[in-house]
Amino acid sequence: MKKISKQKIKHILLGKNINEGLLGRTAIYALLLIIGFVYIYPMIKMFAYSIKDLEDLVNPTVQWIPTKIYLENYRTSWIVLSYGKTLLFSLTVTLIPAILQTITTSLTGYALAKFKIRGKAIIFGLILMTYLVPQQVYMIPRFVLFDKLGILESAWAIIFPATFGQGLSSAIFILIFYQFFRMQPKALDESAEIDGANNYQIFFRIGVPLAAPAYITAFLFSFVWYWNETYISSLFIGSDLYTLQLKLLNFASQFSLADGLTQQAVNEAIKYSATILIILPVLIVYIIMQKWFVEGVDRTGITGE
Amino acid sequence: MAVKPMKRKKRETLVAWSFLSIWVIGFLVFTMIPLFTSLYYSMSEVILDGEGIKVSFVWFENYKQVFSSPEGFNFLKSVSDFAIEIIFKVPIITVFAIIIAVMLNQKIKGRGFFRAIYFLPVIIASGPVINQLIYQGVATIPIIEEMGILSFINSTFTETLARPISNIFSELIVILWFSGVQILLFIAALQKIDKYTYEAAMIDGAGPWESFWKITIPALKSMVLVSVVFTIINLATFSENAAILHIKNNMFALETGFGFSSAIAWLYFIVLVIILGIFFLIFKLFNRERGRR
């Protein structure tokens, strides 16, 4: 008897598998929650600070929840960032490259997945190379080239390489499309061919629609990576035009001038509000398209065999 | 009849290259030619004036300058910091991503919610934003400073090692922020494991611990390499990385310029290849060890 009850307790606590027992479950939830909190803690802190007014900022008893919602910080950073104009430019150098890069990399991936090409291994090697060689190595000649073409300090300097599949992480997207197109059943293409469709028709009528998840995922990742990129964009479009991220980069220096503790606290709050304003657009996209980001890696079969 | 397949093959090749052509043109114009030009610049003195650029070949002068000038030393210091940091960061990120992925792969409530949180940093982690976080001091865990871990590190290791290691501790949270994509990769790999494998193992008397090491971990093996490569490249090209900032800053510096910048860019690439090589080797050795057992 005793033995059985002991086993029962053990079963409830530990379960047949780690994840089934009470102990294991609690531990997993606790860990996930704690680490999850560590992840979003900076965001919560930033947000809480950004809506504090001067009184709350200097009041040590007000930590997390401000006594009232104060939006003046946002107004200030909105003006300093010239938000409307900058957002528009940010979107220009983010959306357009992302769309074009997605199209080109899908064409490349399709060709590699569906056709017998001599030297395919070499092409794959070169694609991998574009991923492994850091942009820094070829950015100086690109800079000179763009200067000659007269497209420095314009959105074209970002758009051109993306259009030709040489943008940010293009190689990853080619591989995503390659995997995805390769998984499509050949029978579909063959039956379309028998019905008299040519290769381009097969691509547009069968390949593209069936690959919609890959397109969405690639576009979203491309969008986010371009949005967050500052190294290359500050070099190519830096001195007169600004993306939101580049503005933030300079924001700190603009607001560190005033001294005094109170002023410093206000500056911090303004900086926080500026940071929130800058992550807001991608955050909104993420909240709406969350499923595509998180499940996209699965669906596109990038992990493939 | 014999002609037709030939024709078809030819047509298909043409179609294939038409699909590929945009990438091929782009590769030649924006990558291949710049790559050789960059190599050429790195062995040249490049002077910019109002009219254009003048390039004169100087063999390895720029590379010599890297090892003999203050700018060069600054660069080398940040590269060695980067190399040491990455050797620590990559295992931290990989192990962390595996743990989170295994936990998220359990049948738990709110899985979607947790996944959304753990992926959030990928969305918002740009250079300037992370800079803000580090600057505001929200990037570290307060306990680390309170327990005096940093001062312990500074007193135990030599200066070259202490700096990067204490960097790692003071930016621990930010390091974890770089694991979003890797977590997804591991989850995807975990979902490919047939759940009957676990059942079969259980019938054979394997406990959860054994199944974890004998089934789960081997299934993640191939993904580890992908994840490690992604992590290295991601960290290496992150816009606030001190080493790559040197490359950009030297482009328009008076004493150095394009030639010197190209040279350090190539040196940086070589270091990167070595780091990738080391991890690749570790991975290979580790695999062989397992295979023998």
Side-chain angles (χ1 to χ4, degrees):
Chain A
M1 268 308 269
K2 215 180 169 191
K3 207 176 171 190
I4 292 168
S5 67
K6 211 172 162 189
Q7 233 174 18
K8 216 172 181 181
I9 293 167
K10 199 179 157 194
H11 190 89
I12 292 169
L13 286 179
L14 297 173
K16 284 183 291 185
N17 227 319
I18 291 182
N19 59 359
E20 280 166 10
L22 200 62
L23 263 179
R25 303 222 99 189
T26 322
I28 287 176
Y29 277 115
L31 270 174
L32 282 176
L33 277 173
I34 292 167
I35 302 170
F37 178 72
V38 168
Y39 262 61
I40 49 174
Y41 165 78
M43 304 272 302
I44 300 171
K45 189 182 171 188
M46 274 200 294
F47 184 67
Y49 263 70
S50 69
I51 54 169
K52 280 182 183 175
D53 66 357
L54 188 61
E55 231 169 276
D56 282 350
L57 282 170
V58 291
N59 183 352
T61 57
V62 181
Q63 270 296 326
W64 289 100
I65 303 159
T67 49
K68 54 183 172 291
I69 294 170
Y70 175 78
L71 294 174
E72 206 53 33
N73 296 328
Y74 281 92
R75 233 175 64 100
T76 314
S77 47
W78 184 285
I79 293 164
V80 176
L81 293 170
S82 31
Y83 197 76
K85 212 182 102 200
T86 319
L87 177 68
L88 200 70
F89 184 67
S90 276
L91 287 175
T92 317
V93 293
T94 306
L95 273 177
I96 298 174
I99 292 169
L100 293 172
Q101 158 153 289
T102 307
I103 295 171
T104 306
T105 51
S106 80
L107 292 174
T108 314
Y110 189 82
L112 292 169
K114 297 278 180 175
F115 300 104
K116 278 198 192 102
I117 301 167
R118 224 183 281 167
K120 200 186 264 188
I122 296 170
I123 294 172
F124 267 115
L126 294 176
I127 289 171
L128 201 65
M129 190 193 87
T130 63
Y131 181 63
L132 294 179
V133 179
Q135 295 227 22
Q136 285 71 32
V137 174
Y138 42 79
M139 82 186 172
I140 295 172
R142 273 193 194 178
F143 184 87
V144 174
L145 175 71
F146 292 160
D147 192 31
K148 269 186 205 148
L149 295 173
I151 56 170
L152 268 185
E153 286 169 31
S154 77
W156 294 111
I158 307 294
I159 294 172
F160 265 149
T163 311
F164 288 94
Q166 310 296 318
L168 275 182
S169 306
S170 288
I172 293 183
F173 301 121
I174 294 174
L175 290 182
I176 288 178
F177 281 114
Y178 169 73
Q179 283 287 354
F180 205 89
F181 284 123
R182 220 176 47 145
M183 287 189 314
Q184 288 178 356
K186 267 223 161 88
L188 279 176
D189 299 355
E190 278 157 11
S191 60
E193 206 185 330
I194 291 164
D195 289 346
N198 67 32
N199 296 85
Y200 299 104
Q201 283 165 332
I202 293 173
F203 173 70
F204 283 112
R205 300 265 168 82
I206 296 171
V208 176
L210 282 178
Y215 275 93
I216 295 171
T217 306
F219 167 72
L220 287 175
F221 271 91
S222 185
F223 175 79
V224 166
W225 282 338
Y226 266 107
W227 182 270
N228 286 334
E229 205 285 322
T230 53
Y231 185 91
I232 296 292
S233 47
S234 71
L235 179 67
F236 287 167
I237 56 180
S239 61
D240 284 329
L241 293 159
Y242 282 103
T243 65
L244 282 173
Q245 300 279 1
L246 292 177
K247 280 264 182 185
L248 182 62
L249 208 59
N250 294 348
F251 205 82
S253 55
Q254 281 179 29
F255 266 84
S256 305
L257 298 169
D259 37 27
L261 268 178
T262 330
Q263 193 52 42
Q264 218 174 334
V266 174
N267 289 343
E268 301 262 285
I270 294 172
K271 266 186 239 167
Y272 279 130
S273 65
T275 312
I276 300 247
L277 279 178
I278 281 158
I279 49 190
L280 202 61
V282 270
L283 207 58
I284 292 169
V285 172
Y286 182 52
I287 290 167
I288 300 168
M289 307 294 282
Q290 191 252 107
K291 267 212 150 99
W292 288 101
F293 277 105
V294 179
E295 288 166 19
V297 176
D298 257 359
R299 284 191 207 177
T300 47
I302 192 184
T303 56
E305 281 67 52
Chain B
M1 272 308 269
V3 185
K4 229 184 165 185
M6 264 296 282
K7 221 173 129 192
R8 187 195 142 97
K9 213 175 155 191
K10 223 174 185 172
R11 203 191 62 222
E12 286 229 322
T13 314
L14 232 91
V15 172
W17 282 100
S18 73
F19 273 105
L20 268 178
S21 57
I22 302 176
W23 184 86
V24 172
I25 293 167
F27 177 74
L28 289 175
V29 175
F30 293 111
T31 304
M32 207 63 213
I33 295 172
L35 212 57
F36 284 115
T37 317
S38 166
L39 194 62
Y40 176 59
Y41 281 174
S42 79
M43 294 189 239
S44 307
E45 197 182 351
V46 185
I47 299 164
L48 292 171
D49 54 22
E51 274 128 61
I53 58 169
K54 289 194 190 100
V55 187
S56 47
F57 198 68
V58 291
W59 284 106
F60 292 104
E61 273 315 307
N62 291 320
Y63 291 93
K64 272 183 212 153
Q65 202 191 341
V66 176
F67 293 96
S68 60
S69 69
E71 290 84 17
F73 281 131
N74 284 338
F75 167 74
L76 291 174
K77 205 162 81 183
S78 53
V79 168
S80 85
D81 278 7
F82 164 76
I84 295 168
E85 277 180 42
I86 218 162
I87 295 210
F88 285 95
K89 279 178 179 176
V90 166
I92 292 175
I93 290 174
T94 310
V95 170
F96 177 76
I98 290 178
I99 292 170
I100 297 291
V102 168
M103 287 202 288
L104 288 179
N105 197 42
Q106 311 292 337
K107 276 191 230 102
I108 54 166
K109 288 206 182 75
R111 203 157 77 172
F113 168 73
F114 281 121
R115 277 198 203 184
I117 287 182
Y118 286 102
F119 192 69
L120 188 66
V122 177
I123 308 296
I124 59 176
S126 69
V129 171
I130 289 221
N131 258 356
Q132 282 293 308
L133 294 180
I134 294 172
Y135 173 75
Q136 319 284 6
V138 288
T140 180
I141 301 168
I143 295 172
I144 287 174
E145 256 157 84
E146 281 158 27
M147 290 196 343
I149 292 179
L150 292 184
S151 53
F152 170 75
I153 293 166
N154 285 325
S155 58
T156 358
F157 297 104
T158 58
E159 210 256 328
T160 349
L161 265 176
R163 193 159 17 94
I165 293 176
S166 60
N167 272 352
I168 287 168
F169 274 100
S170 58
E171 291 169 15
L172 201 55
I173 294 179
V174 167
I175 294 172
L176 300 185
W177 273 40
F178 283 94
S179 55
V181 171
Q182 292 86 325
I183 292 173
L184 293 187
L185 288 175
F186 285 125
I187 289 178
L190 284 172
Q191 285 180 344
K192 288 226 181 78
I193 305 174
D194 197 337
K195 68 170 191 279
Y196 296 117
T197 321
Y198 286 110
E199 273 172 27
M202 219 166 68
I203 291 164
D204 285 347
W209 189 245
E210 278 143 328
S211 351
F212 178 75
W213 286 105
K214 296 267 162 72
I215 302 170
T216 313
I217 293 295
L220 294 177
K221 223 168 46 187
S222 61
M223 203 46 76
V224 169
L225 190 64
V226 175
S227 158
V228 165
V229 172
F230 180 85
T231 310
I232 293 173
I233 299 294
N234 198 21
L235 291 173
T237 52
F238 182 62
S239 60
E240 296 305 306
N241 179 337
I244 65 172
L245 285 178
H246 273 288
I247 300 172
K248 194 161 76 181
N249 295 339
N250 274 311
M251 277 176 71
F252 303 103
L254 277 177
E255 304 94 52
T256 44
F258 282 15
F260 181 84
S261 284
S262 302
I264 59 177
W266 277 95
L267 286 176
Y268 185 63
F269 176 47
I270 292 168
V271 171
L272 210 59
V273 169
I274 293 171
I275 293 172
L276 282 168
I278 291 172
F279 277 101
F280 202 75
L281 217 68
I282 293 172
F283 186 78
K284 266 253 162 100
L285 284 175
F286 183 69
N287 263 355
R288 206 165 54 190
E289 202 90 325
R290 291 191 73 93
R292 223 182 266 154
R293 232 185 287 158

